[in-house]
Amino acid sequence: MEYVLTGATLIDGNGGEPIVNAAVHVQGERIAWVGSMADLPPPTIPASQWGDMEQIDLSGKWLLPGLIDAHIHICYNGSESVFALLEKHRDELVLEAVDICKRTLSHGVTTIRDVGGEQFIEMSLRDAINRGFIEGPRMKLSGRVISMTGGHAHFIAREADGSDEMRKAAREQIKAGADLVKLMATGGTATPGQDIHASQLTVEEISAVTEVAHMMGRKVAAHCHGTGGIRNCMLGGVDTIEHGTYLDDETADMMVANGATLVLTLGAGNPDLESYPLSPVQQADAERRKPMIEQGVKQIRGTIALARSKGIFLGIGTDAGGNPLAPHNFSMARELELLVDNDLTAMEAISIGTRNNAVVLDMDADIGTVEAGKYADLLVLNADPLADIRNLRQIAAVYKGGEKV
Ligand SMILES: [Zn+2]
């Protein structure tokens, strides 16, 4: 497989000026050369062979790196309650998840980080995708979330208490094939009756997990809303804070000192009701969580401003599947739209959803930008996302590893 994509406006993910009239030479799964049409034929192709090279004309289109969703739950559909999903036969969950994988890819998301799976179905999906049996994004997976007994999402979690059990729980996930470990460090809105400000793991318990995960080369991600939970996670050496709603000045400084990342999730608490009206089940869930969500949306504006002023490294994810208000649709486009609503430029939002997220997944050597040597994971748009970030939904084509999907 070898071709040159020509004529598009290239937004390469690094945040610099777009290249108008760009050319991208793809060789096998990877990008061999990126430059301007003025410099064709590419130096990677001998001039004598240039005439035979397949050229794909993308004039009038925009070319971006494939999007990366740094926080997703691929085994849950995000439109029914988790309790309803858990009553389904495993096969039903598998088949629905196969469809979710395809849909995620078709929406321009070529890589995901799943931070809470179900019965290790996600591991089988990852392996099936890697072997070419089904279509779907590249995956980094946490396996089951680890929570305290009765903690956030305990109905899907590996419950563990005390350092020894926490170590064992983390090692179980890694044994099953986890690429990272996910902790629940505070309450969450998706679990009825919880206080999102309450810390749910001690510094000792968190440290036990980070120690064994880091020994095995895995990062640790922690669900945190309340400030106390973020503080415990920073004292315990956690790598990524998920949500981070009630970040304050002190915990922001701790994150900077630790080099920790804040993975924002904006859409799950602020659903796209205009494009996707709620079903009765979703309506009931929305009513129950309304006060928490309204407060959270207000809070997160300040949190984003604080994180940016401190220079905290930002990632972004949809939390699609994480609750009944977070279906798998144009969820990543929605996330970047909400970043722009929170005063980031469209270019900054795109860089966070591509280059930054690749760093969060430890995959920046292979994906995240359109550069020579990286996988040809590409998103082609019919309209300019810098003029209107909602144009991320105007998809003309998606390429994964050089292949059009
Ligand atoms: Zn989640």
Side-chain angles (χ1 to χ4, degrees):
M1 190 167 45
E2 187 164 12
Y3 52 83
V4 182
L5 301 167
T6 59
T9 300
L10 174 66
I11 298 165
D12 71 4
N14 280 316
E17 276 295 301
I19 301 179
V20 180
N21 233 352
V24 177
H25 176 206
V26 176
Q27 225 170 13
E29 289 184 298
R30 293 187 185 257
I31 297 163
W33 178 82
V34 180
S36 160
M37 290 271 280
D39 297 323
L40 289 179
T44 39
I45 301 173
S48 59
Q49 286 169 28
W50 168 236
D52 306 327
M53 182 62 47
E54 185 188 356
Q55 292 183 46
I56 298 170
D57 181 21
L58 298 181
S59 302
K61 314 275 188 209
W62 281 260
L63 185 59
L64 286 73
L67 301 176
I68 301 169
D69 188 339
H71 186 126
I72 195 172
H73 304 277
I74 206 87
C75 298
Y76 304 110
N77 64 25
S79 46
E80 293 175 80
S81 86
V82 173
F83 300 106
L85 292 173
L86 292 180
E87 280 173 19
K88 289 188 181 180
H89 194 278
R90 187 180 194 270
D91 292 353
E92 252 185 291
L93 294 176
V94 171
L95 291 168
E96 190 162 20
V98 168
D99 182 59
I100 291 169
C101 286
K102 276 190 207 164
R103 265 192 286 151
T104 301
L105 190 57
S106 72
H107 291 141
V109 177
T110 48
T111 303
I112 61 165
R113 185 179 68 142
D114 187 291
V115 286
E118 179 61 37
Q119 301 173 53
F120 300 127
I121 290 170
E122 67 284 2
M123 307 285 178
S124 308
L125 292 172
R126 176 191 59 195
D127 299 345
I129 290 167
N130 288 345
R131 295 172 73 180
F133 294 165
I134 60 168
E135 268 193 344
R138 301 179 198 281
M139 293 188 176
K140 290 272 179 143
L141 309 169
S142 74
R144 295 172 78 184
V145 299
I146 301 173
S147 81
M148 69 170 195
T149 296
H152 177 43
H154 59 88
F155 31 83
I156 57 165
R158 161 65 159 95
E159 292 177 292
D161 305 291
S163 301
D164 285 348
E165 261 188 58
M166 295 297 285
R167 273 189 278 269
K168 182 142 184 100
R171 285 172 169 153
E172 283 170 3
Q173 307 318 305
I174 295 170
K175 181 184 178 188
D179 306 295
L180 66 141
V181 177
K182 169 79 179 298
L183 300 177
M184 297 306 205
T186 73
T189 63
T191 308
Q194 290 217 336
D195 174 5
I196 63 170
H197 294 284
S199 299
Q200 295 192 340
L201 296 174
T202 66
V203 174
E204 198 189 356
E205 287 170 322
I206 295 166
S207 303
V209 168
T210 55
E211 184 188 10
V212 298
H214 290 166
M215 272 165 29
M216 296 180 80
R218 266 72 166 182
K219 278 183 176 170
V220 177
H223 161 103
C224 284
H225 289 297
T227 313
I230 303 173
R231 188 182 304 113
N232 286 352
C233 285
M234 287 305 97
L235 293 172
V238 162
D239 302 289
T240 66
I241 296 295
E242 312 292 312
H243 321 298
T245 315
Y246 289 88
L247 185 77
D248 69 357
D249 204 66
E250 181 205 354
T251 46
D253 286 338
M254 292 171 89
M255 287 188 69
V256 172
N258 282 14
T261 296
L262 175 61
V263 178
L264 296 163
T265 64
L266 307 174
N270 191 354
D272 186 0
L273 302 179
E274 219 174 284
S275 314
Y276 306 98
L278 297 183
S279 69
V281 170
Q282 292 174 308
Q283 193 62 54
D285 195 65
E287 281 305 315
R288 179 181 68 77
R289 293 195 290 141
K290 207 171 171 194
M292 281 181 284
I293 286 175
E294 277 176 359
Q295 178 59 30
V297 169
K298 234 181 274 167
Q299 185 69 29
I300 206 72
R301 175 169 286 278
T303 296
I304 293 171
L306 174 65
R308 295 182 76 208
S309 73
K310 296 281 185 181
I312 292 174
F313 192 78
L314 294 177
I316 187 118
T318 61
D319 211 357
N323 70 64
L325 297 181
H328 298 269
N329 43 46
F330 275 107
S331 322
M332 257 316 273
R334 170 79 174 164
E335 285 302 316
L336 302 193
E337 289 158 20
L338 290 170
L339 280 178
V340 171
D341 283 352
N342 279 284
D343 303 329
L344 277 77
T345 65
M347 186 61 98
E348 286 170 331
I350 289 168
S351 293
I352 292 172
T354 56
R355 180 197 57 190
N356 284 23
N357 277 353
V359 173
V360 174
L361 274 68
D362 285 327
M363 292 181 77
D364 48 310
D366 285 318
I367 59 167
T369 58
V370 182
E371 289 180 288
K374 296 199 179 183
Y375 285 122
D377 290 359
L378 305 166
L379 174 57
V380 184
L381 301 175
N382 286 315
D384 183 1
L386 300 178
D388 181 353
I389 193 71
R390 287 183 64 87
N391 287 336
L392 283 170
R393 301 176 189 224
Q394 304 302 318
I395 294 180
V398 179
Y399 291 82
K400 182 187 160 206
E403 253 178 81
K404 197 172 174 181
V405 296

